[in-house]
């Protein structure tokens, strides 16, 4: 491709267009990474629902695990790859990000999720029309497809039960965010987003039966509003006595609770030197030759 | 968040509240990590049983693999992340932990597992009530849910067969604990908990059919007692001629047996220098540039 | 084995037969690696189709993930392991490969894919004959097996919808190729092909329902032509108004689009120094002792 | 535990009982590691067959992947962890092991596989009796369980087709063994057994439909003979015109063929310096800070 004075045009773009303002470039990265997350995640849910049972639960959970791992990688070196207001909340209470920046992050994430879901809707529009005959329905009938875009409760689940469910699932997430933030745990940076994917899949295999484990206010609210505006109607919001606020509020509570539990039970007490109780003590190890 | 003299409040907490007593902080970490393990694991089993077949066996096995990997990571740098009396027993015979400390570890793990299961019960209480109509039953009927909290034998399985099964499954675990303890194997510390997850999933895919591969006395006994006290009744304990002691005793035997087999067959004989029989000999390798 | 003057015969072969011409050896590597990819991938699809539902969707997606990871590894240190014209296109626009070389790469990949599929056909010929009674059919009947070799659209899917689908799926791929090309992301080289496998599996779990997520013009076109010539007839090409060109052209568009989106939204703006917004800041970290 | 002069008893054992003879300790390690492989693998197959369809194909394939990864790890630093005569054959033609040692390895592996299968049989004996009513049958009836111990062909498969199938599957294995042996590929040693697991799972997802992808003469023949002697009768050997020799001979041919293909197409031509065609060129990378 064209080079001027031996400089590649991408490098020239970088020199010219790189955003120097930290907040601006971080919000752009959060918007984009959360869009990726939800572009993948919406596709996973679309296949699960439109496939009428040909896709197993384990595929949905692995799918969200892949989505989290890859979207976190994408923004890892810019904004930190939070892609979730609940993660941002934990970093706020741990002093890694200011309150103002946190609020901006949450807005960028919600807009990004809505954008990603909208793109995914375009890809699956023919499949959805084939499934519901062109009549959109939020939830509860055999041809409802609203659950592609936002979580809904199982028939037995009260809003109180849903709140507890989201505190539990996001509590696990928040706990491990605090774990990664503790540098004494020495998880290599390149490996952390992979483990985030494992955590997301893990929450799915243990706490997705009640309401599908959204554990992410942005990823749940943004696409829900998009769907409400774009054919599914206000039942997306009003279903079961305005259920929608549960997966928005409860994850924030759960993530902070989980993070503090990690800090109090384990994080504060990690010794600065290696414990002799670990399996292979470091002091005996010669440097690993790869 | 608030900072005094530029010190973050988490750092101040650490300075003020860090537990200096090694045993105390390790027991706290074991309690918490085993609670995480069983909080995840109980959720996995709840979905498998309450879902009436919509969740496949592979999801249960991957789920326990995720649970082990992540709970071991959480306490890795404090107590070593045993989360299982059978693991503690292997570290004891390998001289990594004293007898008194080992006993304390086992108690902390059992209490932690009961606590984690109790939390999980709260999350799934509406789903369980929907499943069994509010009538708790330990095992054997279509609406029994006791197997969410503890292992039960397949119809064909005698208590002797169950004992052999748990010696086999935990033997595999103990073997690989001894493998990791051998520093000449040079598995990077950050990667070991991930492999622990693989081992847990592996035991599930090969030895879970007989009785569900508990392979962890704390994770099986703690939640079993909780369930017995909390609505399921003493059938949790008395079922099939007091079956409950098998997954408590057999794993300790199996883990020690497996560890000694590894030590005798392989561990003692690992050369201090690299073998020329490995695939790519280290001596030829230049340092890896990442 | 025989050694002359203490030199192993493989080393002697290397000295004698090593191809010094960079393009020639790279094309050989691309041919071979794409043959591996499609030799594995065709087997995965053969099992899915000939198995009449005993293989789940998650196995197909994991299978293609394994196929990509391993085939990329195989040519990683020679040609870069593109194994996909869409990947080559992204490297071209990022200035990593010249236009002429890119075109040669695409041809080698297409021939390699056809060769790999032909080998796979030999392995499954008895199974295919058992399935269709020896009467080959491209698509649409209960005994059609053409989808083992190339993608076909779901009944509801128009060619326009198919184009959008492939732009979406390959867009995700192109995005992450650009991500890996950005050295500031610091993903270790040995780990990148593993993540490529995750990306391939990810596209399968979110965008394979419409038409099976080929996202690779060489892997789709080469085996399609082989099958057309080798018993399946020209319906492989002419089906649904010459659908075949969609998975050839759309992935090129999608990959370039995805790569530019990554560059514009994130890549250009990655700071040269570590961001303080990442979870554990590098500056606080002592070197990791393995 | 007891210490004499501050020396742990395991260290004393090492000093006293370490086997200094390289071949002896390697054969012990191969015996033990192949026993582990087949102890796990037999359990995986037992669940698949005795579970009457409650276990999916993806679990079987992942299970064998776990089994290979973990058994290779166990002997990695002693004998190299071949656990498969086909792997030993590749290392022989690549000059890593002598002919005499290779033959001894193959015998140790076969005995180890038989021993592992025998142990596994003891664990599942009550389940097998429940399944077949105590009447052992090798293959072909609804209550046949011989396929737990050895491979059998699908109804449509001729012995010629089976030979081709095993050359294909083991060809993929041999190819990647040669890949790992090439130090220029720079895969870290600790990561190689994990990738071996991926390779084993990969062969299962693409070439297991014809006859179950044994791709390991020791793992197939040893347990087959054990089962023939231990209740299943000589039909284990005589089935379909002495089918049993196919998975013994074909993998040796396939592995060598695959290895040479890798060497000729790629291995010989890998440049000593980094190619500029790889995604992120090493020369631009600063050392990765973990």
């Amino acid at each position: 491709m064209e080079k001027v004075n031996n400089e590649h045009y991408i490098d020239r773009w970088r020199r010219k267009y790189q955003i120097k303002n930290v907040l601006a470039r971080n919000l752009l990265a959060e918007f984009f990474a959360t869009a990726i997350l939800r572009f993948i995640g919406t596709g996973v849910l679309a296949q699960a629902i439109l496939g009428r049972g040909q896709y197993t639960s384990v595929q949905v959970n692995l799918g969200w695990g892949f989505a989290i791992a890859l979207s976190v990688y994408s923004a890892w070196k810019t904004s930190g790859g939070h892609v979730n207001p609940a993660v941002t909340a934990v970093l706020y209470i741990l002093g890694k990000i200011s309150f103002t920046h946190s609020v901006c992050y949450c807005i960028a994430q919600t807009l990004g999720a809505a954008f990603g879901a909208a793109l995914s809707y375009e890809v699956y529009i023919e499949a959805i029309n084939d499934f519901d005959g062109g009549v959109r329905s939020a939830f509860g009938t055999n041809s409802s497809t609203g659950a592609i875009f936002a979580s809904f409760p199982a028939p037995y689940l009260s809003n109180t039960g849903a709140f507890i469910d989201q505190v539990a699932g996001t509590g696990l997430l928040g706990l491990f965010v605090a774990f990664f933030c503790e540098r004494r745990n020495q998880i290599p940076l390149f490996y952390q987003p992979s483990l985030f994917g494992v955590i997301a899949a893990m929450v799915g295999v243990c706490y997705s039966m009640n309401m599908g484990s959204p554990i992410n206010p942005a990823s749940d609210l943004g696409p829900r509003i998009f769907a409400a505006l774009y054919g599914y109607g206000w039942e997306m919001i009003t279903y079961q006595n305005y259920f929608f606020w549960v997966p928005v509020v409860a994850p924030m509570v759960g993530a902070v609770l989980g993070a503090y539990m990690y800090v109090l039970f384990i994080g504060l007490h990690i010794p600065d030197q290696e414990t002799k109780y670990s399996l292979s003590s470091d002091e005996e190890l010669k440097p690993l030759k790869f």
Side-chain angles (χ1 to χ4, degrees), chain A:
Chain A
M1 302 285 283
E2 36 151 352
K3 293 192 180 190
V4 177
N5 296 332
N6 238 357
E7 186 189 33
H8 190 261
Y9 75 103
I10 298 279
D11 292 323
R12 199 170 64 242
W13 284 6
R14 185 175 169 86
R15 201 160 36 74
K16 276 192 185 165
Y17 305 120
Q18 187 181 21
I19 300 172
K20 306 292 189 199
N21 180 287
V22 173
L23 181 59
R25 78 181 171 214
N26 284 3
L27 294 182
L28 197 64
E30 283 296 311
F31 173 87
F32 188 63
T34 318
I36 294 171
L37 167 63
R38 192 65 215 206
F39 184 58
I40 300 171
T42 305
V44 170
L45 294 174
Q47 294 200 162
I49 289 166
L50 305 175
R52 293 197 188 280
Q54 70 173 291
Y55 299 100
T56 52
S57 160
V58 72
Q59 171 158 325
V60 175
N61 294 322
L62 290 180
W64 275 92
F66 298 158
I68 283 287
L70 294 169
S71 60
V72 169
Y73 270 117
S74 74
W76 191 235
K77 293 291 181 183
T78 313
S79 63
H82 303 186
V83 303
N84 186 345
V87 172
T88 302
V90 172
L91 294 196
Y92 168 65
I93 64 161
L94 296 179
K96 303 266 183 185
I97 187 173
S98 73
F99 185 76
T100 321
H101 282 207
S102 298
V103 172
C104 298
Y105 263 51
C106 295
I107 295 167
Q109 289 156 357
T110 307
L111 293 173
F115 181 66
L119 288 180
S120 189
Y121 180 71
E122 293 307 316
V123 181
Y124 273 119
I125 197 160
E126 295 186 6
I128 294 173
N129 284 336
D130 180 66
F131 186 89
D132 67 6
V135 184
R136 298 290 180 269
S137 155
F139 195 69
T141 76
N142 273 340
S143 65
S144 295
T145 56
I148 295 173
F149 299 98
S151 60
F152 285 93
Y156 57 76
L157 196 72
S158 70
N159 285 2
T160 309
F163 196 94
I164 293 169
D165 177 273
Q166 284 303 287
V167 168
T170 326
L172 284 168
L173 176 61
L175 188 161
F176 284 105
V177 172
F179 166 83
F180 286 120
C181 283
E182 173 54 62
R183 62 184 164 75
R184 290 174 189 84
N185 285 316
Q186 296 188 298
I187 310 295
L189 282 179
F190 83 89
Y191 198 55
Q192 292 188 22
S194 293
L195 288 179
F196 264 107
V198 173
I199 291 162
M202 174 273 286
V203 176
V205 296
C206 64
Y207 291 113
S208 65
M209 193 178 137
N210 283 332
M211 53 183 287
S213 68
I215 63 165
N216 183 336
S219 164
D220 200 68
L221 183 62
R224 191 188 294 273
I225 292 172
F226 160 77
L229 295 171
Y230 219 75
Y232 286 89
W234 294 108
E235 203 191 348
M236 293 294 294
I237 308 288
T238 58
Y239 186 85
Q240 190 168 304
N241 200 22
Y242 295 88
F243 166 83
F244 88 95
W245 68 268
V246 175
V248 174
V249 176
M252 306 303 276
V253 176
V256 169
L257 203 66
Y260 275 129
M261 284 182 74
Y262 174 77
V263 167
L264 294 178
F265 278 84
I266 295 189
L268 290 181
H269 316 301
I270 301 180
D272 283 313
Q273 285 153 352
E274 289 301 315
T275 169
K276 62 170 183 170
Y277 290 83
S278 68
L279 270 65
S280 39
S281 167
D282 261 9
E283 59 198 314
E284 299 170 81
L285 270 178
K286 300 158 211 155
L288 183 72
K289 288 177 291 179
F290 278 112

